[in-house]
Amino acid sequence: MIGLNEAITLAVSAHAGQTDKSGEPYILHVLRVMLAQKDVEAMTVAALHDIVEDTSITLADLEEAGWSARVVAAVDALTHRDGEDYFDFTRRAASDELAKPVKIADLRDNLRQATDVGAQDRRARYLKALALLGEA
């Protein structure tokens, strides 16, 4: 079975060239969320948390590569689906015990990064999502 090292390698490769709203390499967000986790399994999920949503990699690709069903399910829970209400997505992510701390770290990092012009609406959304999770 594969784990954290492979997740980091895949994330670096898959997010290569992507930048966040402030122009920084996107992988830095992924790594900050990963480092906020308390155990290796959660760190693995955090390394993969945006890979299905923001790259061409699919959940089936993760399964085929050998990640555990538990890790793949958590990544699935952290993947915002087209047309899905953001707060419904937040609740769905929080319903998976492995995904919940990753989602909390993701929201906190997004909130910390939301300093660009026009970030007011995103900040409000992140604060509301954290409140839904009992974290604000």
Side-chain angles (χ1 to χ4, degrees):
M1 188 171 311
I2 62 176
L4 180 58
N5 289 337
E6 294 83 4
I8 293 168
T9 300
L10 181 60
V12 168
S13 173
H15 293 295
Q18 293 179 347
T19 57
D20 64 18
K21 288 177 178 51
S22 64
E24 295 295 317
Y26 192 77
I27 192 64
L28 296 177
H29 162 72
V30 172
L31 294 174
R32 286 190 300 268
V33 172
M34 182 191 76
L35 291 171
Q37 303 310 305
K38 294 184 189 282
D39 64 63
V40 171
E41 189 177 36
M43 291 174 87
T44 301
V45 170
L48 299 170
H49 84 276
D50 278 336
I51 212 150
V52 172
E53 189 173 318
D54 294 339
T55 77
S56 62
I57 295 168
T58 67
L59 293 168
D61 293 334
L62 298 179
E63 290 172 352
E64 282 181 34
W67 272 284
S68 71
R70 184 170 146 89
V71 166
V72 174
V75 173
D76 184 26
L78 291 161
T79 302
H80 188 197
R81 292 166 172 70
D82 288 339
E84 182 178 30
D85 176 78
Y86 186 78
F87 300 107
D88 290 341
F89 156 59
T90 300
R91 284 186 280 274
R92 184 171 55 78
S95 71
D96 182 293
E97 70 176 274
L98 187 54
K100 184 176 180 178
V102 175
K103 185 60 184 167
I104 291 167
D106 179 47
L107 287 165
R108 286 182 176 154
D109 192 66
N110 286 340
L111 184 60
R112 187 181 69 76
Q113 291 295 103
T115 59
D116 57 296
V117 174
Q120 204 168 19
D121 288 343
R122 287 195 325 275
R123 289 183 61 79
R125 182 177 66 196
Y126 301 146
L127 287 168
K128 182 176 178 181
L130 282 167
L132 280 173
L133 303 178
E135 294 294 318

